[in-house]
Amino acid sequence: METLTNSPEETKALGKNLAGNLAGGEIIQLIGDLGSGKTTFVQGLGEGLEIKRKILSPTFLIRRSYRGRLNLEHLDFYRLNSPLDLAGLDLDDILGAPKTVVVMEWPERVGLDRGEKAKKIYFEYVDENTRKITQ
Ligand code: ADP
Ligand code: MG
């Protein structure tokens, strides 16, 4: 399904909508360039999961964890260069956590995009206010 969004709010609404279909245990991979709206989408998803804290980009931390109706593990591998860089992260624990949705930005930086378990959502910059989101 392909959607054009014309504002950050519309992208958040898509994320919020997806949250309503989640039960925990899902792995969602967001694929697209810098500024294509991935983190914005996660902010809406977090709202849909009833997470009260503000969702910030985890780029510099790699991982941010939130509690809500379901917990959210928000991972961002932009700064990593290879699967070896995942060594310090308890990925099995994160992926196996109960009542938790795992969302990853830049899974391709660490070779995690090749798994089949994850739902992939693609983001494309169209123009300043428009993004194409394919899920
Ligand atoms: P990414 O995580 O993919 O690097 P961000 O979500 O952090 O991207 O940033 C997207 C930027 O684009 C934000 O500054 C946001 O305000 C802006 N923007 C403009 N139009 C849209 C849109 N339709 N959807 C999402 N973000 C948009
Ligand atoms: Mg981001």
Side-chain angles (χ1 to χ4, degrees):
M1 187 178 68
E2 203 176 278
T3 312
L4 286 178
T5 66
N6 293 303
S7 66
E9 288 65 36
E10 285 186 29
T11 295
K12 283 182 200 168
L14 277 189
K16 188 171 179 179
N17 193 49
L18 174 62
N21 298 323
L22 300 175
E26 292 86 359
I27 303 171
I28 300 165
Q29 297 183 332
L30 310 183
I31 310 206
D33 284 341
L34 272 185
S36 61
K38 302 182 296 298
T39 297
T40 302
F41 182 90
V42 181
Q43 288 169 344
L45 193 135
E47 197 183 311
L49 294 179
E50 296 164 34
I51 289 164
K52 307 295 178 213
R53 263 170 66 212
K54 185 173 166 58
I55 296 198
L56 302 171
S57 173
T59 301
F60 294 98
L61 293 178
I62 315 296
R63 171 187 184 189
R64 287 183 185 267
S65 309
Y66 302 87
R67 298 203 166 280
R69 176 175 69 77
L70 298 170
N71 298 327
L72 172 66
E73 290 282 357
H74 186 188
L75 306 173
D76 184 332
F77 301 127
Y78 180 65
R79 298 202 318 146
L80 305 187
N81 298 306
S82 99
L84 295 176
D85 291 337
L86 289 173
L89 204 66
D90 245 327
L91 199 60
D92 287 341
D93 274 10
I94 296 171
L95 296 178
K99 294 187 180 171
T100 299
V101 176
V102 180
V103 181
M104 301 178 186
E105 300 186 37
W106 298 100
E108 65 273 34
R109 305 264 322 149
V110 289
L112 287 174
D113 57 318
R114 284 170 235 142
E116 283 168 22
K117 262 180 67 184
K119 171 179 174 64
K120 291 186 172 58
I121 305 177
Y122 296 88
F123 292 74
E124 288 174 60
Y125 180 101
V126 177
D127 65 28
E128 191 177 350
N129 294 310
T130 310
R131 303 291 184 271
K132 185 164 104 182
I133 299 173
T134 309
Q135 42 184 331

